[in-house]
């Protein structure tokens, strides 16, 4: 059996080792997480969405890993920073990748609505009981779906390899409604707080660029998917409430709570 090579990455759930020049193995600390990611890979088998190739499983010293194609290029965010004049083109590409992803089924993955409900309850201390109940009632009224949803789709989760862009980081994948997944992307592009240490002039420039990216993404996604702006808006309050449980900066929390109150009326 081929030995695992140099450790090149470490996350909360797995370690990543090099297997030569063109492959890596992602070694999970909990077997159920490996099974989850393997299920996601199976959901993608019939999809044309570009992602790192999966070569199978490998076991060593009682630990199991999944062997993937090694992608060594920059993220879309890095490409955008290097070529800001192409921001609209990047936004349209982001939308095309997302719309293609939403053509895949995901029957064996967790329900997106259930994941959101868990996130909303985790945010209870910030939401207050009244808001929590109202948001959960709203979430309950929204449709279930059987479509593959990425769960955290944004420019840092698209990388450029030798064959072009690929979508990475599938640990938040669920089955749900495409509109909910796209609405989260829009929420992040609109409201995710920039680092406080970033100088104000730079923040303003980044926000302007991000607004152009958002506009191009939204227009292209609506055109390709047939989803309406009203469908996107219907998911905003539950998504924002669940976002509060992700250890976001205080300024973002304050803004999201204001927006949640607006959406709840």
């Amino acid at each position: 059996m081929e030995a695992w090579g140099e450790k090149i990455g470490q996350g909360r759930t797995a370690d990543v080792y090099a297997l030569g020049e063109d492959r890596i193995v992602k070694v999970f600390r909990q077997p159920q997480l490996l099974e989850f990611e393997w299920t996601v890979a199976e959901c993608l088998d019939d999809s044309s969405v570009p992602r790192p190739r999966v070569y199978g499983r490998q076991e060593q010293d009682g630990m199991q890993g999944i062997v993937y194609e090694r992608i060594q290029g920059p993220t879309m965010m890095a490409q955008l920073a290097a070529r800001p004049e192409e921001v609209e083109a990047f936004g349209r590409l982001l939308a095309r990748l997302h719309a293609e992803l939403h053509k895949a089924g995901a029957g064996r993955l967790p329900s997106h609505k259930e994941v959101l409900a868990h996130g909303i309850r985790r945010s209870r201390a910030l939401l207050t009981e009244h808001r929590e109940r109202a948001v959960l009632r709203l979430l309950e009224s929204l449709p279930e779906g059987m479509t593959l949803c990425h769960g955290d789709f944004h420019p840092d989760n698209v990388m450029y390899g030798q064959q072009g862009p690929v979508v990475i980081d599938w640990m938040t994948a669920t089955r749900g409604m495409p509109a909910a997944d796209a609405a989260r992307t829009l929420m992040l592009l609109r409201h995710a707080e920039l680092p406080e240490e970033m100088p104000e002039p730079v923040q303003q420039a980044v926000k302007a660029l991000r607004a152009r990216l958002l506009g191009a993404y939204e227009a292209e996604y609506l055109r390709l998917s047939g989803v309406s702006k009203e469908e996107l808006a219907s998911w905003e309050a539950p998504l924002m409430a669940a976002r509060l449980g992700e250890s976001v900066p205080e300024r973002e929390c304050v803004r999201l709570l204001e927006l949640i109150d607006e959406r709840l009326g």
Side-chain angles (χ1 to χ4, degrees), residues 175-196:
R175 57 174 167 84
M177 295 295 293
D181 206 30
R184 177 176 166 89
T185 297
L186 290 168
M187 176 187 70
L188 293 174
L189 292 175
R190 282 195 179 101
H191 304 302
E193 195 68 28
L194 296 172
E196 290 187 3

Side-chain angles (χ1 to χ4, degrees), residues 2-3 5-6 17-24 70 72:
E2 185 178 8
E6 174 192 2
Y17 297 85
L19 289 180
E21 294 295 320
D22 59 353
R23 299 187 185 192
I24 58 97
R70 186 175 185 178
Q72 300 192 66

Side-chain angles (χ1 to χ4, degrees), residues 161-180:
Q162 290 185 334
Q163 307 303 317
V166 296
V167 181
I168 63 167
D169 198 2
W170 292 90
M171 286 301 293
T172 51
T174 59
R175 57 174 167 84
M177 295 295 293

Side-chain angles (χ1 to χ4, degrees), residues 3-25:
W4 292 339
E6 174 192 2
K7 183 189 285 190
I8 58 173
Q10 182 173 335
R12 289 182 294 109
T13 60
D15 298 321
V16 179
Y17 297 85
L19 289 180
E21 294 295 320
D22 59 353
R23 299 187 185 192
I24 58 97
V25 58

